[in-house]
Amino acid sequence: MSELEQHATEVLKFSARNARPKRPAYLRDATVDSDGNIAVLKQSEHLRPLVVDLDGTLLRSDLLIETAFAELSRRPLALLELIAALKQGKAALKHRLAATAVFDPAVLPYDEEVLRCIRQARAEGRSVYLASASHEVLVGAVADHLELFDGWFATDELTNCAGKVKAHKLVEAFGEKGFDYIGNDAADLHVWPHAAKALAIRAPARVGRALASSSDDVEHLTHERAGWKAWAKLMRVHQYAKNGLVFVPLITSQMFELGAFMHVLVAAIAFSLCASSVYILNDLIDLQDDRGHRSKRHRPLANGSVPLSEAMLAIPVLLGISLALGAWVSLPFLGVLLGYFALTSAYTFLLKRKMIADVITLAGLYSVRVVGGAVALSVVLSPWLLAFTMSWFLSLALIKRYVELQARREANLPDATSRDYRNDDIHMVGALAAAASLNAITLFLLYASSESVVTTFSRPEILWFVAPILAYWIGRALLVARRGEMHDDPVVFALKDRLSVATLATAGILFVAAF
């Protein structure tokens, strides 16, 4: 690199350690004063550089949020360290997160419209720069991966490159009105007035109004906003059927009264909203892993269709409504709901990375729903029924892990780093699933012959016909999983597979006939 280029790199501050800035076209005729400083000439419009924001603009994501949750997923107690770093400023927090970040720019959700603008600018001979409030390590990795930028600006250990700081750096580098800028949020309102042309994407309405009043040349890039379908997918509305387990105690105790039904219905809604809040939290934690998964990469947070900041706000809102509904049902039920939230949060941050403990926890979460229904009705739950529920869903959880291991083996992927299972464990996991399923059938027969059933049901002997139907379904589910034809979640498979629906419906009819 020549002495002139070295000075250009220093004055323009395109990057820090890992930067590889190229000499832009508009500096080829720059002059050097007696002190060796470069005087940037006024550029013609066709050579005016394009500066692109990263988070929320080029990326349909936010690297600060991603790296923070990734760190918490590995070390939940790191929250105290992050709070301490934040007290020193955002730059210190970002530097702390970047130091331990496991980061793969290849799987990030890039915006195609912004990429189109970048490629068009390069085709016109214009220089393109990345300017981000994210840490320089992350920004440099993105720039190196895309190979579309002549340089970049980013946050370092001491300076947070956002808002006025970013605007000052860009004006210092390119001059007032010497660049075009693509941004997306309120922080960019400090930058757009200094740009010759302001381009916005995904800007909130209030930001759009402020931009219109502060800049003369404004263009809003097309994009898709998160619709109700994306939010329904994020909240796992299709999983709400699992909360039908809350109605099991109502059916087994035969309390067919409107008041009892309303209590259980509200309890089911409370469980659904509570589960949705944790589903969103789980997706924030698992962003990197989900993007490398065959089906989970299509989740709304992984593919960037729902903004991470909005997802974060949805968590306390959903949880708050859930707890309010739980308190309306009864204080004991609220205690069960809080226990469910605590257990599922523990699963999200810790237990899902512990082999066997993870599937036992999943089975326990299903069983808690049944317990919640009993508490909502203030009825005594049969221990045999609870044991059957636990063993049945333990089998389904093991099938879920079996399917995941099978998918990794078929794709020739190495052992997962986010799970405590090895690919070679698949046969043992399948054996455990079969054992748990047979144990569940035995427990159901013990429930069918228990004193509580004999005294409650008028024709309890019919329940014995339910057992072989359940055995048929779980046996078929194991074989379907072995053939690689099952959905990632066996519960979803049960709800969508026609033969499964018919089989389980028949079991349900026989159960009702026993009344």
Side-chain angles (χ1 to χ4, degrees):
M1 180 182 291
S2 68
E3 181 179 356
L4 179 63
E5 288 174 320
Q6 291 174 353
H7 281 299
T9 302
E10 179 181 354
V11 173
L12 297 178
K13 301 178 182 178
F14 293 135
S15 61
R17 301 182 183 87
N18 301 318
R20 295 181 295 177
K22 302 172 184 177
R23 181 175 176 81
Y26 70 89
L27 279 182
R28 287 173 183 159
D29 297 323
T31 59
V32 182
D33 60 23
S34 59
D35 296 325
N37 296 320
I38 294 176
V40 179
L41 301 178
K42 183 176 180 180
Q43 305 91 35
S44 61
E45 182 175 351
H46 74 279
L47 287 180
R48 195 166 60 214
L50 174 65
V51 182
V52 182
D53 178 43
L54 182 61
D55 298 312
T57 303
L58 176 59
L59 287 182
R60 298 193 307 273
S61 187
D62 188 304
L63 294 184
L64 174 59
I65 297 176
E66 284 202 20
T67 53
F69 277 100
E71 178 71 7
L72 292 175
S73 71
R74 292 189 296 270
R75 297 175 54 240
L77 295 181
L79 177 63
L80 300 177
E81 299 176 16
L82 299 185
I83 293 174
L86 182 59
K87 290 181 179 179
Q88 302 175 31
K90 275 193 173 183
L93 173 62
K94 294 174 182 179
H95 185 74
R96 162 66 181 79
L97 291 170
T100 58
V102 179
F103 181 71
D104 183 7
V107 298
L108 293 173
Y110 296 99
D111 188 278
E112 289 299 325
E113 180 64 15
V114 176
L115 286 174
R116 184 194 63 78
C117 291
I118 293 172
R119 294 187 178 106
Q120 180 179 340
R122 290 179 62 84
E124 295 170 354
R126 301 168 63 188
S127 299
V128 183
Y129 297 89
L130 191 60
S132 173
S134 289
H135 193 270
E136 59 190 6
V137 171
L138 309 181
V139 176
V142 170
D144 289 344
H145 168 68
L146 294 177
E147 297 183 340
L148 293 174
F149 300 100
D150 296 273
W152 44 264
F153 304 78
T155 292
D156 56 30
E157 184 176 1
L158 302 176
T159 306
N160 186 39
C161 186
K164 294 180 180 179
V165 173
K166 183 191 288 188
H168 174 74
K169 288 188 175 186
L170 296 181
V171 171
E172 183 182 40
F174 306 114
E176 187 73 24
K177 302 293 184 180
F179 61 95
D180 295 343
Y181 181 73
I182 309 178
N184 74 294
D185 63 15
D188 296 314
L189 290 172
H190 297 287
V191 182
W192 276 315
H194 302 284
K197 182 174 182 178
L199 299 96
I201 187 168
R202 281 181 290 279
R206 61 180 182 83
V207 173
R209 291 191 294 268
L211 174 60
S213 62
S214 63
S215 301
D216 297 327
D217 191 355
V218 177
E219 179 182 351
H220 289 272
L221 302 179
T222 58
H223 67 282
E224 293 184 3
R225 295 188 179 275
W228 67 268
K229 289 185 178 180
W231 277 99
K233 187 175 182 179
L234 176 63
M235 293 171 61
R236 309 286 209 284
V237 172
H238 64 281
Q239 300 276 19
Y240 284 4
K242 296 177 180 179
N243 298 307
L245 291 170
V246 178
F247 287 90
V248 169
L250 178 112
I251 296 171
T252 56
S253 62
Q254 301 183 32
M255 292 183 63
F256 303 123
E257 303 170 359
L258 180 59
F261 177 80
M262 291 303 300
H263 266 71
V264 176
L265 178 61
V266 174
I269 295 173
F271 266 112
S272 298
L273 297 180
C274 182
S276 287
S277 70
V278 183
Y279 282 137
I280 296 174
L281 177 61
N282 180 77
D283 284 0
L284 287 168
I285 292 292
D286 286 347
L287 272 176
Q288 288 286 334
D289 291 335
D290 287 352
R291 288 177 181 145
H293 192 273
R294 62 178 183 178
S295 60
K296 294 179 182 179
R297 69 176 183 269
H298 301 299
R299 286 178 174 176
L301 297 188
N303 66 19
S305 57
V306 172
L308 301 189
S309 57
E310 294 181 12
M312 288 178 61
L313 291 175
I315 294 174
V317 172
L318 292 169
L319 180 61
I321 297 174
S322 170
L323 297 180
L325 293 174
W328 180 87
V329 173
S330 72
L331 291 181
F333 174 78
L334 177 61
V336 173
L337 193 62
L338 287 170
Y340 171 84
F341 178 77
L343 182 59
T344 191
S345 296
Y347 173 81
T348 295
F349 284 100
L350 177 64
L351 295 176
K352 70 179 178 181
R353 292 173 175 80
K354 306 296 181 182
M355 68 175 178
I356 304 303
D358 61 338
V359 291
I360 293 175
T361 303
L362 287 175
L365 290 172
Y366 283 106
S367 302
V368 167
R369 291 172 166 95
V370 179
V371 173
V375 172
L377 294 172
S378 299
V379 298
V380 177
L381 189 65
S382 167
W384 291 118
L385 179 61
L386 185 60
F388 160 72
T389 303
M390 185 73 184
S391 189
W392 180 262
F393 285 103
L394 176 61
S395 175
L396 296 187
L398 286 163
I399 292 176
K400 180 180 175 70
R401 290 291 176 264
Y402 180 93
V403 172
E404 291 173 353
L405 291 173
Q406 185 181 56
R408 298 192 69 85
R409 285 164 62 95
E410 291 177 352
N412 294 319
L413 295 175
D415 295 338
T417 57
S418 59
R419 303 287 187 189
D420 199 18
Y421 295 93
R422 300 173 183 173
N423 291 349
D424 291 339
D425 294 333
I426 185 170
H427 302 299
M428 179 55 69
V429 171
L432 290 172
S437 66
L438 294 176
N439 187 53
I441 301 302
T442 301
L443 289 169
F444 181 83
L445 290 172
L446 290 171
Y447 165 71
S449 59
S450 65
E451 184 179 352
S452 62
V453 169
V454 172
T455 57
T456 304
F457 289 74
S458 60
R459 293 178 293 275
E461 62 277 3
I462 294 180
L463 293 179
W464 285 78
F465 293 98
V466 175
I469 294 177
L470 294 178
Y472 166 77
W473 184 85
I474 198 68
R476 178 174 176 269
L478 288 166
L479 289 173
V480 169
R482 174 66 180 82
R483 296 171 181 175
E485 300 172 356
M486 177 171 284
H487 186 277
D488 294 330
D489 189 338
V491 176
V492 176
F493 167 78
L495 297 174
K496 292 186 175 181
D497 177 63
R498 291 183 179 180
L499 186 54
S500 294
V501 172
T503 301
L504 297 177
T506 302
I509 292 172
L510 289 174
F511 198 91
V512 172
F515 288 172

